[in-house]
Amino acid sequence: MSLKIKNVTIYTGRGDKLIQSAIIVEANKIIAVGEEAVDKEAETVIDGQGKTIVPGFFDMHIHLGMDGIADPFSQIATDSQATSAYRHQANGKKQLQSGVTSVRNLGSKWHIDLAYRDAVNNGIVTGPTVYGSGQPIVMTGGHGYPLASEADGEDEVRKMARQTLKQGADVLKLMATGGVMTPGVDPGSPQLSESEMRTAVEEALHAGKTTASHAQGTVGIQNAVRAGITTIEHGIFLDDETIELMIKHDTVLVPTLAAPYYIVQNADSGAIPPHAVKKAMYCYEVHKESFRKAVAAGVKIAAGTDAGTPFNLHGDFAKELELMHEGGMSIRDIITAATFSAASVLTVQNETGSLEKDKIADFIILSEDPEDKLSAFRSVETVYQGGEVVHVY
């Protein structure tokens, strides 16, 4: 049965904005959009006057096994595999209800994100489309080691990359630097070397997969970019040389501005580990300035929140979009970063990520136009996944 939603504003995800337009879906696909849809009949018609439709969002950096409590590593240390699996489902549902129809999970102990992905794909549970990394690959004692696979030297990293791909990973996650949450490591300090990361990149490419690197310090970011990493996560300390290198290598930045924001905003709670507060306070302003410079220079951006880190809750994707706007991105560029650009990073842009004919019908209806009011990203009324309503507010 075909469904037409008419008299709506549509952001296609490719930079276009259609006024008083329409979209028609049938089964799980878009069969018409824009002028073609306005002129075409459908079996069911909904008048969406005053509403705005955007593609389903992609959150390109989340941790489904973490709830956003003040000390998420304590949660990882005490959860059983079964508890973690339930947590993945609960947090995935929150993502879907907020309009995030696809997620890239970048780190789950026991590779549980991959099992959760399969459960969603097989219809066992309802959740967003999941692209998972399984356990990240880190140096011994490296950032995130409580939920990661430790490896040292090119041979060990290569073997671990192959083992992670064997588990079914869609993307390999590597740690190029230290980070905020892990005690005893410096966010600016390099960890896995350029040559170590390059071996993992090679294995990912051989398997037709992509890569992501946690990279906060300048040297580590440059190592990751030269190694051929697909996306730089966080990118806190970006200088002009590093930005030029990213543009040269066509490297995408996933800024995760919400992660340090929420630690800084809740620094006085007394609940966040002191080492994390100290490091986040040090990085916060630098991170914002690095993002502004990257946007101004034309670095490719894909939206991601790092949801699951302290006070950074699943289902609050809108905060990242708001912070990106504060950092100099236009509304249309933000929508593209959260939809088509994200799908392109995952190499699924021909199937999803924009509102175009023959693509999967993942989209959300907003009660307001985000170009009129930034808070419109929070005014999600209905979430469609594969042409079916999966959530109504």
Side-chain angles (χ1 to χ4, degrees), residues 120-144:
V120 172
N121 290 346
N122 292 327
I124 298 171
V125 295
T126 300
T129 301
V130 178
Y131 303 89
S133 72
Q135 294 192 170
I137 300 171
V138 309
M139 74 176 198
T140 297
H143 175 60

Side-chain angles (χ1 to χ4, degrees), residues 321-332:
L321 307 187
E322 291 162 2
L323 293 172
M324 290 165 73
H325 188 56
E326 288 179 20
M329 285 190 78
S330 71
I331 296 298
R332 294 192 201 187

